[in-house]
Each structure stands twice: as C-alpha cells, then as structure tokens.
Amino acid sequence: MHRAKVIFKAKEGIYFDNSYKLYFKRFFERHCPEGFYVFSDVIPRKTKKTENGFWAIDKIAFYFSHYNPETLVNLTLKLFEEKITINDNQVLNIEKTEFIKPKNEYNAYLWSPLMVVDNNLKPVEYEREPERFNEFLRLNLINKYKKVYGNYPEDDRFVFVFKNNFEKIMEIDFVLYKGAFEVLGSEELLKIAYICGLGHFNENGYGMISDELYVWKHS
C-alpha cells in the first residue's frame, strides 16, 4: 500500500489559520465520499507561528492515504484539476507529487495529531487512562480492518506507548496528542494504522503516522 506525497509551492509565504484542515476535508469529501482516507498536517520547509495560525514559507509537504490504490491515484489527479484554495483566495499550487510506500515500522511518529474517543465520543486521555486509551485505539483498528478486508484479523493484539515526551493539545472539547511512539503486537493492525490512520476522525486530518521523523532532511 502506498500514500501520496504532495509538494506545494510557497515561495512568497502562505498563511494557514488554525482551522485550515476544513479546506482539505471539503476537497476529500467531494471526491472520496466513502471516507477511509487520512491526511497529515501541512509541513512547511520554513515556518513562522502566529497567535491564530502560521506562515508556511518556501515549500510545503502534505501527505494523504487511502486503502484503494485507484482511489488514491484519482484523488491525486483531482488535486491538479481542482486545486485547493484556503482562506478564500490563497490557491495551493502543486510543484510535484509522488507515491511512497511506508515501511510500517513499529517505532513511528505522528504527522497529524492523534485523537481517541469512547463510544459516547468523549475524549480518552492517554496519561490518565492508558489501558482504556489503548483498548479504544485497538477496537477502532479492528473495525477498520474488518471494513477493508472483510474479515477479523488473525492477530488482534495492539499496544501503543508514547516514547519520551509527547505533546498534548486541547482543541475545544477534544484532546489530541503528537509525538514519537512504539507499537507492540499485530502487524495486521499496524498496517491498517499506516493506511487508514490511527485513532478516530482520520477524515478530519487526525492520526496519520510515519516511519520518518523529518520531511526535509534531504532537501
């Protein structure tokens, strides 16, 4: 399974407010109504933060994934045809795209924040209830696996542990996390996490993971 990497031009700088992911979600909803996609934060080569957002300067990396290769290619082509406009008048111009294959490593990083909720859509906090956090995370991955492959995984073990420090983000009534982590258990569920996202609300731009920490290290 692959994911798409898109490089946008931002030579003169593009401003993103804190709600910018809504513009990306609207694009995906139009062209992928069945869902099961996940996308990353935008990752600028250079950035300058402001109170309500940030400036992306030079170039911007953006990643998205879908379990169906045909859908993934179609979404990439649609980006060229339609383009995404943010803040009403800033068009994101593509410099290049490529398809990359994650290594599905057990030690990985969050490229968009992780959110875990219970059956009542109430946030579950990792540091307060690690066992409950893990169980809802595991059950969510099993549900995705069954929808993608049509059967229950042979190995349903899945334990998620943050490594060292992690960032906790409060967003309205939800709790989000970013940082490096390690997974113990099922290779099947780990693969689904790379393809469809980890945790809940992946279609809103949460839970994309990567085996790579740095996007611009070779640039």
Side-chain angles (χ1 to χ4, degrees), residues 26-219:
R26 289 169 188 164
F27 167 82
F28 286 113
E29 283 180 331
R30 285 194 297 273
H31 302 297
C32 188
E34 72 272 21
F36 279 98
Y37 55 83
V38 60
F39 59 92
S40 72
D41 294 347
V42 295
I43 307 171
R45 190 198 291 253
K46 301 176 184 177
T47 187
K48 181 178 180 181
K49 292 185 178 181
T50 69
E51 183 178 353
N52 298 310
F54 60 93
W55 281 91
I57 304 166
D58 192 6
K59 295 182 181 181
I60 305 165
F62 175 71
Y63 297 77
F64 61 92
S65 177
H66 192 279
Y67 74 90
N68 186 323
E70 185 176 334
T71 300
L72 184 65
V73 172
N74 182 63
L75 288 171
T76 306
L77 293 174
K78 288 296 182 182
L79 268 176
F80 282 97
E81 295 174 7
E82 183 174 317
K83 298 187 178 181
I84 294 176
T85 302
I86 63 169
N87 304 335
D88 299 325
N89 58 7
Q90 294 190 93
V91 177
L92 299 181
N93 292 308
I94 296 176
E95 180 176 292
K96 65 177 181 178
T97 63
E98 60 181 299
F99 296 101
I100 60 175
K101 187 174 183 178
K103 296 179 182 178
N104 297 350
E105 298 284 353
Y106 283 84
N107 292 279
Y109 311 90
L110 284 156
W111 272 3
S112 54
L114 171 62
M115 183 190 304
V116 174
V117 298
D118 63 17
N119 294 331
N120 296 313
L121 301 182
K122 299 295 183 181
V124 183
E125 297 182 63
Y126 172 82
E127 70 279 15
R128 292 187 178 183
E129 302 178 285
E131 292 183 0
R132 191 163 176 260
F133 184 97
N134 260 280
E135 184 60 7
F136 280 110
L137 194 64
R138 187 181 74 90
L139 292 175
N140 176 263
L141 285 171
I142 291 172
N143 184 54
K144 291 171 184 169
Y145 187 95
K146 290 192 294 185
K147 289 184 176 180
V148 171
Y149 294 108
N151 57 278
Y152 195 89
E154 293 185 10
D155 184 353
D156 67 358
R157 299 170 301 143
F158 195 86
V159 179
F160 173 97
V161 182
F162 272 115
K163 299 173 67 175
N164 304 319
N165 297 324
F166 56 84
E167 180 183 1
K168 183 177 181 180
I169 305 165
M170 304 302 296
E171 189 174 280
I172 310 177
D173 295 327
F174 293 103
V175 181
L176 312 173
Y177 295 92
K178 290 197 77 175
F181 64 89
E182 181 178 4
V183 166
L184 306 172
S186 170
E187 185 175 344
E188 296 165 284
L189 294 184
L190 179 65
K191 182 179 179 181
I192 281 293
Y194 274 95
I195 296 170
C196 297
L198 190 64
H200 298 80
F201 299 108
N202 305 124
E203 289 88 354
N204 289 47
Y206 299 118
M208 172 166 267
I209 64 176
S210 174
D211 57 293
E212 294 279 354
L213 174 59
Y214 300 107
V215 174
W216 299 108
K217 63 181 181 179
H218 299 305
S219 303

